[in-house]
Amino acid sequence: MTRRHPSALLASLCVSALLLACVLPASGAGREECERQFKPEIGQPGKDVMWVPTSDALVARMLKMAQVTSTDYVYDLGAGDGKIAIAAARDFGAQAVGVEYEPQLAQLARCYVKAEQLSERVHIIQGDVYKTDFSNATVVTLYLLPDLNLRLRPTI
C-alpha cells in the first residue's frame, strides 16, 4: 500500500470534482443558459402559429391520457421548446422526437434536451410537420390551432 502526500490527495480530489462537474451539469443551470442563449419570447411568430409554451400540468395530462410508456415512440408536432418530447422521455421513459419549424425554437429545444441529459432518447428536428414522416410513431402529440389539426388529419 502506498501513501499519498496530503496535497497530492487534495489535488486529485479537486480534479475529480471538476471532472464530475463537467460531466454532470446541473439541469437548472443548463436550462438557464439555454434561455440566455436563445431568448424565447411568448407570442413570437412562427410559420402558422405564434409560440406559447404549454403548461407543465397540461403536458403531464396529455402524456398520461395517451398512456405513454417506455415502449412508445412519441412525436410532438410543433414542438416549440421541446417540453412535451422531453417530458415523454424524462417522465415516461419513451423515445421522443420533436418537430419544430422555427430554427431558434428548435435550437432552444435541443439545448434543453442536452441540459436534461436526454440526448440519447430525445431528438429535435427543425422541419415542417406537414412534410415530416412520423409513420413510426406510437403516440403523436400536438398542441396547435384547430385548423392546423384538421390539415394534419389525413396524415395522422
Side-chain angles (χ1 to χ4, degrees):
M1 183 165 130
T2 60
R3 298 184 93 187
R4 288 182 135 177
H5 190 273
S7 61
L9 182 60
L10 180 61
S12 179
L13 287 173
C14 288
V15 169
S16 297
L18 182 60
L19 287 172
L20 188 60
C22 291
V23 173
L24 300 172
S27 63
R31 290 182 70 86
E32 290 170 5
E33 180 58 30
C34 295
E35 291 164 11
R36 275 195 290 277
Q37 284 181 1
F38 298 105
K39 300 183 188 337
E41 293 181 28
I42 294 173
Q44 69 187 52
K47 178 182 177 196
D48 296 316
V49 296
M50 70 174 83
W51 177 67
V52 178
T54 308
S55 73
D56 292 339
L58 184 57
V59 169
R61 184 165 181 192
M62 288 171 72
L63 296 171
K64 284 178 187 171
M65 287 178 70
Q67 299 177 350
V68 173
T69 70
S70 61
T71 62
D72 281 311
Y73 204 81
V74 177
Y75 267 76
D76 181 34
L77 307 181
D81 61 1
K83 183 182 276 194
I84 295 172
I86 289 168
R90 183 191 60 222
D91 303 338
F92 296 85
Q95 294 288 321
V97 176
V99 182
E100 174 54 47
Y101 186 80
E102 290 301 314
Q104 285 286 21
L105 282 173
Q107 287 288 359
L108 174 64
R110 287 184 192 119
C111 189
Y112 284 160
V113 167
K114 187 174 179 180
E116 295 277 343
Q117 299 177 3
L118 292 168
S119 297
E120 292 191 21
R121 295 204 337 248
V122 179
H123 301 283
I124 303 297
I125 298 169
Q126 193 272 312
D128 189 327
V129 297
Y130 303 107
K131 297 177 182 175
T132 300
D133 176 16
F134 50 91
S135 59
N136 62 337
T138 58
V139 174
V140 176
T141 62
L142 49 147
Y143 191 58
L144 303 170
L145 297 172
D147 63 314
L148 301 178
N149 294 345
L150 290 174
R151 282 179 57 192
L152 283 166
R153 183 181 252 172
T155 307
I156 294 173

